[in-house]
Amino acid sequence: MIRYSIGDRIMIGCIYLLLTLLAFSTFYPFWNALAISFNAGLDTAKGGITFWPREFTLENYSIVFQDSSLLRGFGVSVARTIVGTVLSILATSIFAYGMTKRELIGHKYYMLMGIITMYFGGGLIPTYMLIRNLGLMNSFWVFIIPGLISVWNMIIFRTFFKGLPVGLEESAKIDGSGNWGIYFRIILPLSGPVIATLALFTAIAHWNDWFVPSIYISDENLLPIQTILRQTLLSNISVTQMSGLDSASLARLEQMKNVTSKSLTMATMMVATLPIIAVYPFVQRFFVKGVLIGSLKE
Amino acid sequence: MARTTVTKGTANHTPMLKPKQRLGIRMMKQWDIQLMVIPALVLIFIFSYIPMYGVLIAFQDYKVGHNFFSNPWVGFKHFESFFHAPELYTVMRNTIVISLLKFAIGFPAPIVLALMLNEVRLMFFKRVVQTITYLPHFMSWVIIGGLVTTMLSVDIGSVNGVLVGLNLVEEPINFFSIPEYFWTILITTNVWKEIGFASIVYLAAIAGVDPHLYEAASMDGASRFKQIYLITLPTIMPVVIIFMILAIGSLLNAGFEDILILATNPGLRSVSDVIDTYVYRIGISNFRFSYATAVGLFKAVVSVIMLTIANAIARKSGNSLW
């Protein structure tokens, strides 16, 4: 047993205090937003909601769940997350399996071609022009196709596949399986952990993306919930700025509207956050593993 | 840069030709594995290499209806007009100050957190702190922006509630209308969002420290603080240096999403406009494609130079990326 001196005890006491403060400051904004989302909109306006709603109501959520554009946005987010993740993981892992083959002619050049893209890119404007020329503006596929292949994930998959026992592949070959058969029947079923880790990160990136739709999508039916939420927040802010300029009565009127919607906005925000919070406790072990795979590669 | 490499790639296929069979025939014979990689390479070519080639419009005058080949060449005209632009000073100052602040505070913060977590012996407490502090990393900037604006809001914000409640201020502060506060808000939010997740790597490195070293040190009477300073820190130094090089290479990435989300008030532009948001505004909103590409290219070139210098310095200390 290690014995602590007085100085050590003071230091450790400070550490516990600082960590508690950090955890509280991270937890509180989420909890506060949750409390506001369950509070009656007009009452929220008076301020002072901290840990618990003062006038508890489910009205904000019932408005959110009746708003057809929000529901559609939620649907678009779910669709792009599922389709994007499945296709990207499938395409990237097939690419990675092909790249494990030593006999693959040109594999060194293929690898170089991939790695260069990790360090250099065309930047925002040339990419924007390309997407426009390809006719992907206002198309669901702009969410899926440009990010289908991730060189970074390919390298992680490839490292994992190379670590699998060679014997399995050889015995399958003797049984007459081709490379594609081996990939689907042997490699894919053995890669559960790495697929789970990379799928998780890909899915979260899809769910959280608001920027790509904000520049490529003008059709409101195709906007995911994050982009809709951003527009809602923006309109809230502009109302606040306007109310500062206008005459007193108008300002009060605007403020009433504005804060009514603040509880609503928090409810929308909670709905957009919910899928991540819901899977978060179960996947923690995966993402710790994931970040370590990534850093070991470096 | 991209174009030369591609040509080099194709040209270098020639020495791989063995006299017995033509390359094409040999590739056809392994069509099954070539089919696994070629579609992916085509996608990489389209979505990564064509935009790299598209950077050439920085040296052209882009006209609607023309393509990369038919635009008139104008040399360094757009670079010159950026160097004479009235926004140059603000944009460059903000980029440098914001990225230096992010580096100076955001880089050491997760290391300090990892060192502190390592001293915690109560496993339950440690796990709770980790679970909570990793969470914001997985939230989009839209959500984070919503939380921050709510916390700092004039009428319902808890921060103003506390400040007024403790009589520290008389009137609630409208944080997002005062330029002086913006950098503090931006840096704090960034550190707050990423500190937990960024500490994972350092915690893993700390886990690799030989426990015998601590035992020996405590028998020699070293305090916990001295043990951190003399054992833990030197052991994780190689990891720290590698991450530092990466951070220096991206020093001109002062931020993009975070600034777009947090600086919605145009009145903040004097402190919030950085190269990336400037390129976005000029390019996507004002359609000045050639000029915006030139500004973006300027940034990319400076970044590569900085990464090379950082790596050269690190090589002298024995830890380099390449």
Side-chain angles (χ1 to χ4, degrees):
Chain A
M1 192 63 206
I2 308 162
R3 293 183 60 186
Y4 294 114
S5 69
I6 294 175
D8 290 344
R9 280 162 201 271
I10 293 172
M11 189 185 80
I12 289 170
C14 289
I15 285 175
Y16 274 89
L17 186 70
L18 284 172
L19 290 178
T20 310
L21 279 176
L22 178 71
F24 176 76
S25 76
T26 312
F27 178 72
Y28 178 73
F30 289 98
W31 188 257
N32 183 234
L34 189 68
I36 293 174
S37 75
F38 279 114
N39 199 55
L42 280 174
D43 181 68
T44 305
K46 295 174 197 149
I49 303 292
T50 51
F51 291 96
W52 305 105
R54 204 163 33 209
E55 272 182 37
F56 181 84
T57 175
L58 290 173
E59 202 198 338
N60 302 313
Y61 284 94
S62 83
I63 295 174
V64 167
F65 284 115
Q66 279 165 18
D67 184 330
S68 61
S69 76
L70 278 178
L71 288 181
R72 204 184 296 115
F74 198 84
V76 170
S77 285
V78 170
R80 75 168 282 190
T81 303
I82 293 173
V83 176
T85 307
V86 169
L87 290 184
S88 167
I89 293 295
L90 196 65
T92 304
S93 62
I94 290 175
F95 179 33
Y97 181 62
M99 291 297 283
T100 60
K101 299 287 171 190
R102 288 237 168 140
E103 67 269 27
L104 180 77
I105 296 167
H107 69 271
K108 278 184 191 157
Y109 304 105
Y110 298 161
M111 198 65 191
L112 184 67
M113 186 178 161
I115 286 175
I116 286 171
T117 65
M118 293 166 72
Y119 295 95
F120 302 100
L124 181 67
I125 306 299
T127 309
Y128 177 79
M129 291 169 70
L130 173 75
I131 299 286
R132 233 175 41 157
N133 288 339
L134 289 174
L136 283 173
M137 301 286 273
N138 271 325
S139 154
F140 178 75
W141 296 104
V142 77
F143 300 141
I144 313 291
I145 297 173
L148 202 57
I149 299 294
S150 153
V151 174
W152 178 257
N153 288 355
M154 182 276 277
I155 292 174
I156 294 174
F157 267 127
R158 184 166 159 270
T159 315
F160 182 86
F161 294 158
K162 280 189 166 174
L164 291 174
V166 196
L168 286 170
E169 220 173 298
E170 275 169 4
S171 60
K173 228 169 223 172
I174 292 166
D175 292 344
S177 289
N179 282 312
W180 284 83
I182 294 173
Y183 167 77
F184 279 110
R185 260 174 269 137
I186 311 237
I187 303 292
L188 215 50
L190 283 176
S191 309
V194 71
I195 289 177
T197 309
L198 295 180
L200 171 76
F201 278 91
T202 312
I204 287 176
H206 269 290
W207 183 266
N208 282 343
D209 175 37
W210 60 276
F211 181 70
V212 164
S214 81
I215 60 174
Y216 296 127
I217 304 285
S218 52
D219 178 359
E220 286 188 3
N221 295 330
L222 271 175
L223 289 178
I225 191 151
Q226 299 280 350
T227 314
I228 296 175
L229 179 62
R230 152 127 167 118
Q231 290 171 350
T232 319
L233 285 163
L234 270 182
S235 64
N236 266 1
I237 291 164
S238 59
V239 171
T240 315
Q241 279 159 8
M242 254 160 42
S243 66
L245 299 169
D246 291 351
S247 66
S249 58
L250 189 65
R252 183 168 298 163
L253 194 75
E254 291 285 9
Q255 209 183 22
M256 297 285 270
K257 258 202 284 182
N258 159 37
V259 281
T260 313
S261 66
K262 247 173 197 161
S263 277
L264 246 184
T265 311
M266 289 304 117
T268 317
M269 211 162 86
M270 283 299 134
V271 173
T273 321
L274 198 69
I276 289 185
I277 304 259
V279 295
Y280 183 71
F282 304 102
V283 295
Q284 230 185 341
R285 62 197 175 101
F286 287 124
F287 67 66
V288 173
K289 203 180 281 166
V291 78
L292 291 183
I293 300 177
S295 57
L296 284 182
K297 204 242 107 223
E298 277 163 16
Chain B
M1 163 111 7
R3 210 160 60 106
T4 49
T5 338
V6 174
T7 14
K8 210 171 40 179
T10 18
N12 279 359
H13 276 300
T14 337
M16 289 192 63
L17 264 176
K18 283 176 192 159
K20 33 180 186 175
Q21 273 177 333
R22 305 266 296 275
L23 179 71
I25 296 171
R26 281 165 56 229
M27 282 175 81
M28 284 294 285
K29 280 193 172 162
Q30 47 169 242
W31 64 271
D32 56 338
I33 51 176
Q34 290 287 347
L35 198 64
M36 287 179 166
V37 298
I38 286 176
L41 292 165
V42 169
L43 280 178
I44 292 177
F45 178 80
I46 294 174
F47 289 105
S48 298
Y49 284 88
I50 292 181
M52 284 190 217
Y53 181 71
V55 162
L56 285 181
I57 66 158
F59 304 96
Q60 299 175 333
D61 258 339
Y62 176 80
K63 298 238 162 49
V64 181
H66 285 247
N67 59 29
F68 294 144
F69 304 101
S70 60
N71 288 318
W73 292 91
V74 293
F76 286 88
K77 179 183 136 185
H78 298 296
F79 294 87
E80 276 168 31
S81 57
F82 175 55
F83 295 138
H84 295 113
E87 297 96 340
L88 176 77
Y89 170 73
T90 333
V91 168
M92 288 311 291
R93 184 203 60 178
N94 292 342
T95 307
I96 291 167
V97 172
I98 291 175
S99 56
L100 282 181
L101 282 173
K102 276 186 179 172
F103 178 69
I105 300 165
F107 182 74
I111 303 176
V112 174
L113 176 62
L115 292 174
M116 292 205 301
L117 281 171
N118 190 47
E119 295 303 309
V120 171
R121 294 284 168 271
L122 284 174
M123 275 307 142
F124 173 75
F125 180 80
K126 187 174 173 179
R127 201 157 303 144
V128 169
V129 172
Q130 283 176 296
T131 306
I132 292 176
T133 52
Y134 296 169
L135 184 62
H137 171 82
F138 295 95
M139 300 291 159
S140 74
W141 268 107
V142 175
I143 306 274
I144 301 292
L147 292 176
V148 173
T149 45
T150 307
M151 290 302 290
L152 298 179
S153 143
V154 177
D155 38 19
I156 64 165
S158 296
V159 171
N160 272 317
V162 170
L163 291 177
V164 174
L166 293 177
N167 283 322
L168 291 172
V169 292
E170 284 175 12
E171 286 281 297
I173 304 169
N174 190 353
F175 286 99
F176 283 99
S177 66
I178 305 166
E180 280 78 12
Y181 290 137
F182 181 70
W183 288 343
T184 315
I185 296 171
L186 182 73
I187 307 297
T188 313
T189 313
N190 265 288
V191 172
W192 176 84
K193 185 175 189 290
E194 298 299 336
I195 185 169
F197 197 72
S199 71
I200 294 180
V201 177
Y202 299 112
L203 275 175
I206 290 173
V209 178
D210 184 356
H212 293 109
L213 290 174
Y214 293 121
E215 279 170 32
S218 75
M219 269 188 225
D220 289 344
S223 67
R224 292 297 301 168
F225 184 77
K226 267 209 156 148
Q227 290 176 32
I228 294 174
Y229 184 70
L230 293 174
I231 301 173
T232 320
L233 261 186
T235 328
I236 65 170
M237 222 37 187
V239 180
V240 172
I241 289 177
I242 284 183
F243 276 84
M244 197 190 269
I245 303 170
L246 290 172
I248 291 174
S250 57
L251 257 188
L252 283 194
N253 293 328
F256 181 62
E257 277 191 58
D258 51 346
I259 296 178
L260 281 188
I261 293 278
L262 290 176
T264 45
N265 181 355
L268 292 176
R269 209 168 271 167
S270 63
V271 287
S272 71
D273 216 6
V274 297
I275 296 181
D276 284 334
T277 55
Y278 180 65
V279 169
Y280 168 74
R281 198 174 68 243
I282 297 293
I284 306 281
S285 311
N286 299 354
F287 297 107
R288 291 174 63 192
F289 289 154
S290 283
Y291 178 68
T293 308
V295 177
L297 183 60
F298 165 74
K299 187 198 129 185
V301 170
V302 177
S303 293
V304 169
I305 294 172
M306 280 166 58
L307 183 63
T308 316
I309 294 173
N311 194 57
I313 294 169
R315 181 172 290 170
K316 289 210 172 122
S317 72
N319 301 286
S320 68
L321 273 185
W322 66 83

